Amino acid sequence: MSLTKKGLPGLSASIKDKLIQQALERKLRQAGQEPPSRTLFQSSARKNAIPEEFYRFDLHPGYRQLQIMNEGAARMGVRSPFFKLHEGTAGADTQIGGKSYINYASYNYLGMSGDPVVQAAARQAMERYGTSVSASRLVSGERPVHRELERALADIYEVDEAVAFVSGHATNVSTIGYLFGPRDLILHDEFIHNSILQGAQLSGARRLSFPHNDWAALDDILTQQRHQFERVLIVLEGIYSMDGDYPDLPRFVEIKRRHKAFLMVDEAHSLGVMGKRGYGIREHFGLAGKDVDIWMGTLSKTLAGCGGYIAGEHALIEHLKFLAPGFLYSVGMPPSVAAASLAALRRMQDLPERVATMQARGRYFLETAQAAGIDTGSSTGYAVVPAITASSLKAARLSASLFEQGINVQPILYPAVPEKSARLRFFISCLHTEAQLTRTVAALSALLQNGH
């Protein structure tokens, strides 16, 4: 007899539903599957009892929270500062809505995006190889420009090899998610980037954070817990993108050696920014490439492209190239992007004065802001300088007021940072002039003094 309501005469609808549920649960268990929760189970005849939020995106909790935030901002007269449409190359200046702005919202630190030599390299690669390699690099997507870029990156770090991924975020997610597992421990700075957190979650490893730049706290955690795990990974950033400060890397190198752990440094914002030649935090501290096990960086900042890379020993890179899902199952980087990043890297090497100018401009902005009484947090002036407002609403209003004066700077709001740490975030490039920086600090200082 078919197990339907029609085939069970004389029983109430509730009893029929219960019998159907029990029968289905038995079948699921026999097949080695766990039945759905009883609180969510409904028969096909009662589908309308499933709460609407379970099958409507407009009722998804995340979307509803976004609506509440937008409605609250609108009631307070604050326009959304996001998704502004830039109409040309965004460097120290940009065009939005047909108007010119001093721009602090792009990490084009050395002015390589828009550089004629970099653009020419991208065009030549596109003309030779097309707009896409049309396959994973493992099968038929490999092009000479990929290998040239990776060789140049490995040379910067003085390590065996490097591998380039098509997404910076996915570089961290895929690398950490693949290399580590449930028997391992991942320790990271409390201000680490979201991509690291997502990679740790994917890996299934235990994850612990330590206070920002606090190597002593990390040492204590490892002393207590190292022997409870197989592999241990410590993850830092070269320059922290929200605060513009950096770790005492030699201390962390010593700790990782003593506790037999791996050390990974995310150089998304420090390559091209730190060191006399822009070679990053390694050059800043005079360390050897092998002092860090996993060097990671992005191609979208200093290197004027898109994507990320891992640099290190042969066994690490070969492993990732053949088995890391984010590389293995992804199409290869477009030739024009790889060529642009390679050209930007070579331009950085040929034009160290751009690095020196960017560093000088960052110091000038930091010192001028501090002299004006602006809270710049722990920034060291290396390209990223926050102006702490301690209020998301205040940060949004300041951003809007500065925009009206021809200055484009993004607010960083809760939940991206804690509410007490809400801020404006200024990205400084070698193309900014002292006059632009002075004008910006004066405008911000005046707004703060007037109670904005």
Side-chain angles (χ1 to χ4, degrees), residues 69 95 151 167 179 183 212 235 240 303 317 339 368 378 426:
M69 292 171 62
Q95 293 281 323
R151 182 67 261 159
S167 161
L179 290 177
R183 296 178 181 176
H212 184 48
V235 195
Y240 287 88
L303 299 185
I317 304 306
T368 305
S378 57
F426 294 86

Side-chain angles (χ1 to χ4, degrees), residues 58-357:
D58 62 321
L59 296 179
H60 190 285
Y63 180 69
R64 294 174 74 175
Q65 181 183 12
L66 180 63
Q67 285 182 306
I68 292 170
M69 292 171 62
N70 288 339
E71 289 168 2
R75 284 196 299 270
M76 294 177 184
V78 179
R79 296 178 60 185
S80 172
F82 307 116
F83 291 98
K84 291 173 182 171
L85 189 61
H86 294 250
E87 296 156 354
T89 301
D93 302 280
T94 191
Q95 293 281 323
I96 303 172
K99 298 180 180 179
S100 293
Y101 293 85
I102 303 173
N103 184 39
Y104 297 100
S106 301
Y107 23 70
N108 188 9
Y109 297 133
L110 299 185
M112 295 300 179
S113 178
D115 181 276
V117 174
V118 174
Q119 289 179 320
R123 282 194 299 269
Q124 291 167 12
M126 182 176 62
E127 290 168 359
R128 182 173 182 180
Y129 301 113
T131 57
S132 172
V133 297
S134 306
S136 165
R137 284 177 57 187
L138 189 72
V139 288
S140 62
E142 191 87 343
R143 300 294 184 272
V145 69
H146 294 133
R147 297 187 183 183
E148 292 173 36
L149 172 61
E150 290 166 348
R151 182 67 261 159
L153 288 166
D155 290 344
I156 286 285
Y157 288 99
E158 297 181 353
V159 295
D160 296 341
E161 295 178 29
V163 58
F165 292 70
V166 294
S167 161
H169 190 280
T171 299
N172 278 332
V173 173
S174 192
T175 297
I176 296 173
Y178 174 70
L179 290 177
F180 300 91
R183 296 178 181 176
D184 302 330
L185 172 64
I186 295 173
L187 296 163
H188 62 81
D189 190 287
E190 64 177 331
F191 291 168
I192 208 71
H193 192 264
N194 171 270
S195 56
I196 302 293
L197 303 180
Q198 294 295 312
Q201 182 178 4
L202 177 63
S203 74
R206 186 179 181 192
R207 178 178 66 82
L208 294 173
S209 66
F210 55 88
H212 184 48
N213 283 337
D214 192 340
W215 55 267
L218 170 67
D219 194 20
D220 289 342
I221 294 172
L222 284 166
T223 298
Q224 297 169 16
Q225 304 213 25
R226 173 63 185 93
H227 292 289
Q228 299 178 31
F229 300 92
E230 293 182 357
R231 298 171 188 82
V232 173
L233 175 68
I234 303 164
V235 195
L236 315 171
E237 292 185 31
I239 287 179
Y240 287 88
S241 61
M242 291 293 179
D243 295 272
D245 59 0
Y246 56 88
D248 184 350
L249 188 55
R251 289 279 193 179
F252 287 94
V253 169
E254 187 277 325
I255 288 170
K256 79 98 180 177
R257 284 176 175 163
R258 183 155 39 85
H259 292 284
K260 302 295 188 292
F262 293 109
L263 178 60
M264 179 177 185
V265 179
D266 181 335
E267 285 227 275
H269 291 272
S270 50
L271 181 71
V273 172
M274 298 184 76
K276 186 175 181 180
R277 298 169 295 175
Y279 283 19
I281 193 170
R282 182 182 77 85
E283 183 180 39
H284 176 85
F285 282 110
L287 298 174
K290 65 181 181 180
D291 289 336
V292 170
D293 303 284
I294 306 174
W295 290 105
M296 181 272 173
T298 56
L299 306 175
S300 56
K301 281 98 178 160
T302 290
L303 299 185
C306 185
Y309 62 86
I310 297 290
E313 64 175 282
H314 174 79
L316 167 69
I317 304 306
E318 194 76 355
H319 194 182
L320 294 176
K321 289 176 74 172
F322 278 89
L323 295 172
F327 181 84
L328 176 62
Y329 297 109
S330 177
V331 69
M333 181 179 292
S336 57
V337 174
S341 291
L342 176 60
L345 186 60
R346 289 172 174 166
R347 290 285 277 169
M348 181 186 81
Q349 294 172 310
D350 293 340
L351 301 169
E353 59 269 23
R354 289 197 186 186
V355 176
T357 299

Side-chain angles (χ1 to χ4, degrees), residues 78-79 81 84 395-405 407 409:
V78 179
R79 296 178 60 185
K84 291 173 182 171
R397 284 177 169 167
L398 285 168
S399 174
S401 296
L402 288 171
F403 192 73
E404 292 174 0
Q405 298 182 47
I407 298 168
V409 57

